[in-house]
Amino acid sequence: MVDNAIEISKIDPTQNPTLAAQIDSILDEHRGKPGSLMVILNEVQAKVGFVSEQIQSYIGAALRIPVSKVHGVISFYSFFTTRPRGKHTIKFCMGTACYVGGAAQLIDKAKQLVGIDLGKTTEDGNVTLEECRCVGACSQAPVVVIDETIHGRVKPSKMAQLIRSIERQDAAEG
Ligand code: FES
């Protein structure tokens, strides 16, 4: 489903020449190679930041494969996002140490506080919740990464405070 809050030109390469050019260069580089679909989708996610339904159709058409195949990959791997990220991203490390250390409880708490699921962005475009792989701070597990800042040994009871710190930062920026 396309969120009406997002301008279609931002997520549809057929209406956005810059976006199309970014995707075309990735397609040109990898088209025809074994396992190319996964590589292409990964690179699009890294470069563009998301793989919208319109981008999935565009890639399917370019590779001459059914869009359902592209969609299948996107929905299987949770690190793909189908819409632009919010202004702030809260990432939960799902590496072993963090997982064992209680990442799932942190995610539950954040979902409850922000009111969205993992992989989604709030309606106002302010916050995105995501999971991520080990960020190399295992001794501080469980770890939450807010924008570029790593917060270690986070407890569910601290999530509200962390989320408020984002709001305070926004208020300070005006
Ligand atoms: S497992 Fe989370 S930082 Fe390594």
Side-chain angles (χ1 to χ4, degrees):
M1 195 178 76
V2 176
D3 188 327
N4 293 330
I6 300 172
E7 285 170 48
I8 194 83
S9 63
K10 285 193 182 149
I11 58 172
D12 187 349
T14 64
Q15 296 189 38
N16 182 333
T18 312
L19 183 57
Q22 284 179 313
I23 298 168
D24 286 345
S25 75
I26 295 169
L27 283 165
D28 290 345
E29 198 181 332
H30 300 288
R31 194 193 311 256
K33 294 181 190 163
S36 61
L37 177 59
M38 190 65 189
V39 176
I40 288 166
L41 293 176
N42 257 315
E43 291 207 6
V44 169
Q45 166 84 32
K47 194 160 189 177
V48 177
F50 57 93
V51 191
S52 62
E53 286 179 13
Q54 291 81 355
I55 293 176
Q56 294 172 40
S57 304
Y58 188 83
I59 291 172
L63 298 179
R64 293 170 207 242
I65 57 173
V67 68
S68 58
K69 194 170 170 189
V70 183
H71 183 69
V73 175
I74 296 294
S75 43
F76 186 77
Y77 295 100
S78 59
F79 56 83
F80 286 117
T81 22
T82 55
R83 46 181 289 170
R85 285 186 170 83
K87 186 173 169 203
H88 301 284
T89 307
I90 305 178
K91 290 189 202 141
F92 299 88
C93 175
M94 294 301 275
T96 309
C98 291
Y99 185 78
V100 172
Q105 287 90 316
L106 298 180
I107 292 170
D108 282 348
K109 189 69 188 177
K111 278 160 66 171
Q112 184 192 327
L113 288 165
V114 185
I116 53 172
D117 269 332
L118 214 54
K120 302 278 187 247
T121 301
T122 51
E123 283 296 319
D124 61 5
N126 203 35
V127 175
T128 300
L129 297 183
E130 282 181 357
E131 58 181 39
C132 66
R133 297 181 187 165
C134 174
V135 294
C138 313
S139 63
Q140 297 186 57
V143 161
V144 175
V145 185
I146 300 186
D147 297 329
E148 301 305 318
T149 309
I150 293 176
H151 300 267
R153 299 199 182 90
V154 180
K155 295 196 165 42
S157 58
K158 212 185 155 199
M159 277 313 304
Q161 194 188 324
L162 286 177
I163 290 165
R164 270 201 305 275
S165 73
I166 296 177
E167 289 161 0
R168 266 203 304 275
Q169 186 189 327
D170 283 347
E173 286 168 5

